[in-house]
Amino acid sequence: MSQNLMHASIEEAQKFIDRHVTTVAQAGMRQRYHFMGQCGWINDPNGLIYFRGEYHLFFQFNPFSGFWGKMYWGHAVSTDLVHWKYLPVALAPSEFYDDHEQGGCFSGSAIEKDGKLYLLYTGCSNQGTGLRQTQNVAMSDDGIHFTKYAGNPVIVPPSDVPQDCFRDPKVWEHEGTYYLVCGAQREGHAQALLYCSRDLLHWEYKNVLFESRGEWGNMWECPDFFQLGTKWVLLCSPIGAGERKVVYFVGDFDYTTGKFVSHTNDEIDWGLDFYAPQTFLAQDNRRIMVGWANEWQWMKDWKDWGPTYQEGWCGSFGVPREIEIRDDGRLSFVPVSELQSLRGDRRSVSELHVTQNQVVDIQAGDGVSFEMSLVIDMLRTRASSIELSLRKGEGKQTTCTVDLAHGLVLVDRNNADGWSQGISKSPLNVFGKHQLDVHMYSDQSSLEIFIDEFTNVHSLNIFAPSSQNRIEIKAIGGEAVLKHVLSFGMQEPRGE
């Protein structure tokens, strides 16, 4: 009977989507080449997997409103990570373990077993004892229509873990055994808990994979754990860790003990709008990461959660990024090469000299939807800082300052559009460098900046009208020499 309830809920959601998709698609703030839901609210990417010749992308979804609500799982597929086809809603709240009005089908992951697609997700409910989070399984023969396992929940919170701090399972397989890591909290400290199973349905607790002593917050959301080269990487979105929103740890892992030891840690993205990233292996074994282009800490500072709710939608994802490990143990996050298929009109300047306090106009597509890159010649540049004014017009702009004198990157959107707030800041290693590369991806409502071989990233939402489309470069404190200034207009994918 409850499966029928889920199917009825999915049918209701699909009817609502069908009624509103055309109107929402014409909204002025809609992204041009970043992934969005057809309507309504989206947040965390879920269940990323390459299955039967297609990339499957699931996502946290409230189809009925541009605000967060009871969570469904939306679903889309692609053959190239750029052109996406929307499929029917995959999961709907329907069971005693996932039907709370302020809960539903929370985040999780996907894995293939015996030719079937399995989803592992957190169900959020309240049976009169407060919010309770459990781990659950749904399965599909065709990768489109899912049935929830009759034996759910398959994992319940340990007795010493708060019932509402136990979520976001990420699953993988190793030598015939399935492993799962999920976020938790014990005694006010964040933990990643490790479980193992032979069949994806019956799970045993293994160990505390990794934990915070307080410096990394009191709860880790959306943990992801994977091998990269000879090392292991843990990603998470910490709560209660100050301005840290998405972080990574690189180290070693022992399957026998179920323990991870970290040697290196850093920020994944220093911007104000990047959260809950999840990774998966592409067809060619690249490790690809997709993240939500919003963030809870800053969302509350928007008036009414930003202007797009007025258009019947809210939320998009950042460009997919390939994760690579460097010789120094740090990670880089490189936009996937498939994005090059969207490149339109091309402009290039082999070398540009910007004198002190000179302002130079740069052309990149229509100034709204573009990709741009440049290289700062550190040996010949005497400027103390370089300012990039983006989405400029009508007295407003977003300013990216590369502060060479103090080793900082600052992205200021306080005067971006009348909605946005905040300045993101990151340290920048300039010692001994002969050159410093800068890459930018701009869309209708977002800006992503990658600096220093894609190790230093700032992602932000910018809700500026298309009339704000000028780009300027200014040198402060001396001349700046810029090489290989290259730009492309980004074309809109013709997805289904």
Side-chain angles (χ1 to χ4, degrees):
M1 185 67 181
S2 56
Q3 294 292 341
N4 291 335
L5 179 59
M6 184 178 81
H7 295 151
S9 296
I10 289 175
E11 184 177 350
E12 179 187 7
Q14 287 301 142
K15 288 180 178 178
F16 185 92
I17 293 168
D18 291 342
R19 289 197 304 269
H20 293 85
V21 61
T22 301
T23 301
V24 173
Q26 298 171 352
M29 289 290 176
R30 293 281 284 181
Q31 298 276 59
R32 302 187 193 177
Y33 62 92
H34 286 72
F35 181 85
M36 302 166 289
Q38 290 171 287
C39 64
W41 163 284
I42 72 169
N43 55 290
D44 308 357
N46 297 155
L48 305 179
I49 191 170
Y50 187 77
F51 177 71
R52 296 186 183 177
E54 293 180 307
Y55 296 106
H56 287 249
L57 172 60
F58 301 87
F59 50 95
Q60 290 286 276
F61 189 31
N62 174 18
F64 303 107
S65 170
F67 294 96
W68 184 88
K70 182 187 287 189
M71 286 292 101
Y72 293 64
W73 273 36
H75 189 191
V77 293
S78 173
T79 58
D80 63 1
L81 298 171
V82 174
H83 301 83
W84 292 95
K85 174 184 177 182
Y86 295 101
L87 294 180
V89 171
L91 295 177
S94 62
E95 315 301 315
F96 71 91
Y97 51 80
D98 67 9
D99 66 351
H100 189 252
E101 287 296 329
Q102 297 301 313
C105 301
F106 276 11
S107 291
S109 54
I111 193 167
E112 182 178 358
K113 177 180 180 293
D114 299 330
K116 296 183 179 182
L117 187 59
Y118 285 71
L119 305 182
L120 288 96
Y121 72 97
T122 296
C124 189
S125 64
N126 189 336
Q127 302 301 315
T129 58
L131 289 178
R132 187 172 192 248
Q133 295 168 353
T134 58
Q135 314 317 323
N136 304 278
V137 174
M139 58 200 78
S140 172
D141 291 323
D142 61 6
I144 300 175
H145 304 94
F146 290 86
T147 300
K148 295 178 182 177
Y149 174 49
N152 282 338
V154 296
I155 308 177
V156 300
S159 59
D160 55 349
V161 168
Q163 291 191 110
D164 62 345
C165 294
F166 183 63
R167 55 186 175 269
D168 309 334
K170 180 63 190 292
V171 64
W172 75 97
E173 182 270 338
H174 175 71
E175 295 183 350
T177 298
Y178 298 94
Y179 294 85
L180 176 155
V181 61
C182 63
Q185 179 191 103
R186 274 195 178 97
E187 299 178 352
H189 290 171
Q191 293 184 329
L193 304 185
L194 182 65
Y195 291 80
C196 58
S197 171
R198 300 294 294 184
D199 62 1
L200 293 173
L201 303 177
H202 302 88
W203 293 86
E204 295 181 0
Y205 173 70
K206 180 74 173 178
N207 205 350
V208 177
L209 176 76
F210 192 58
E211 60 188 326
S212 169
R213 298 168 301 176
E215 75 276 36
W216 295 105
N218 54 48
M219 174 68 194
W220 287 337
E221 294 196 303
C222 302
D224 196 345
F225 192 59
F226 54 89
Q227 189 170 6
L228 199 60
T230 61
K231 294 298 181 181
W232 283 81
V233 179
L234 174 68
L235 313 181
C236 65
S237 298
I239 296 174
E243 293 186 355
R244 299 183 179 103
K245 296 175 291 298
V246 281
V247 298
Y248 70 80
F249 305 88
V250 179
D252 299 306
F253 172 61
D254 181 3
Y255 271 108
T256 302
T257 63
K259 206 71 177 176
F260 170 69
V261 178
S262 170
H263 306 304
T264 303
N265 60 73
D266 206 344
E267 304 276 343
I268 297 172
D269 194 305
W270 298 83
L272 304 177
D273 294 297
F274 193 82
Y275 198 75
Q278 186 174 114
T279 75
F280 69 105
L281 283 176
Q283 182 183 17
D284 56 5
N285 286 322
R286 289 173 297 162
R287 177 62 61 171
I288 306 298
M289 178 182 71
V290 178
W292 176 40
N294 265 322
E295 199 276 321
W296 297 110
Q297 176 180 332
W298 288 95
M299 287 289 279
K300 67 180 185 298
D301 293 330
W302 298 101
K303 179 183 177 184
D304 297 322
W305 297 76
T308 67
Y309 83 95
Q310 300 171 356
E311 300 178 342
W313 70 282
C314 185
S316 64
F317 292 157
V319 294
R321 306 168 189 182
E322 180 181 356
I323 302 180
E324 300 175 347
I325 191 165
R326 295 156 46 95
D327 292 340
D328 61 5
R330 297 173 65 211
L331 302 183
S332 61
F333 307 95
V334 184
V336 295
S337 58
E338 286 87 343
L339 291 167
Q340 295 175 16
S341 67
L342 300 180
R343 287 174 171 174
D345 58 302
R346 180 182 188 274
R347 293 183 175 92
S348 65
V349 177
S350 59
E351 187 165 290
L352 178 63
H353 291 251
V354 185
T355 60
Q356 180 174 341
N357 296 326
Q358 181 186 10
V359 176
V360 176
D361 287 317
I362 299 292
Q363 298 296 314
D366 63 358
V368 175
S369 179
F370 64 85
E371 174 191 349
M372 188 169 78
S373 63
L374 58 88
V375 175
I376 303 171
D377 187 331
M378 300 290 282
L379 296 179
R380 293 189 288 164
T381 291
R382 297 293 178 262
S384 58
S385 65
I386 297 169
E387 286 187 357
L388 297 164
S389 297
L390 306 165
R391 299 299 301 275
K392 184 171 184 177
E394 303 174 13
K396 300 184 183 301
Q397 65 183 38
T398 298
T399 304
C400 174
T401 301
V402 182
D403 188 336
L404 302 175
H406 299 96
L408 291 172
V409 177
L410 301 98
V411 184
D412 185 346
R413 68 176 185 188
N414 279 321
N415 188 38
D417 50 32
W419 288 88
S420 308
Q421 299 180 35
I423 301 173
S424 61
K425 180 171 67 174
S426 65
L428 178 65
N429 180 20
V430 297
F431 180 75
K433 290 189 179 296
H434 293 174
Q435 61 182 33
L436 188 66
D437 55 294
V438 181
H439 305 260
M440 287 161 280
Y441 287 79
S442 175
D443 204 343
Q444 185 68 57
S445 301
S446 67
L447 181 63
E448 293 158 282
I449 302 173
F450 303 80
I451 299 177
D452 192 10
E453 298 179 319
F454 302 94
T455 62
N456 196 318
V457 188
H458 290 246
S459 298
L460 305 94
N461 288 331
I462 307 295
F463 296 115
S466 297
S467 55
Q468 289 181 221
N469 60 1
R470 288 167 49 206
I471 304 168
E472 293 180 349
I473 296 179
K474 181 179 180 181
I476 299 173
E479 182 183 55
V481 180
L482 310 179
K483 302 186 299 182
H484 313 302
V485 182
L486 180 63
S487 70
F488 299 91
M490 293 294 275
Q491 300 172 348
E492 185 173 349
R494 300 303 176 187
E496 297 185 42

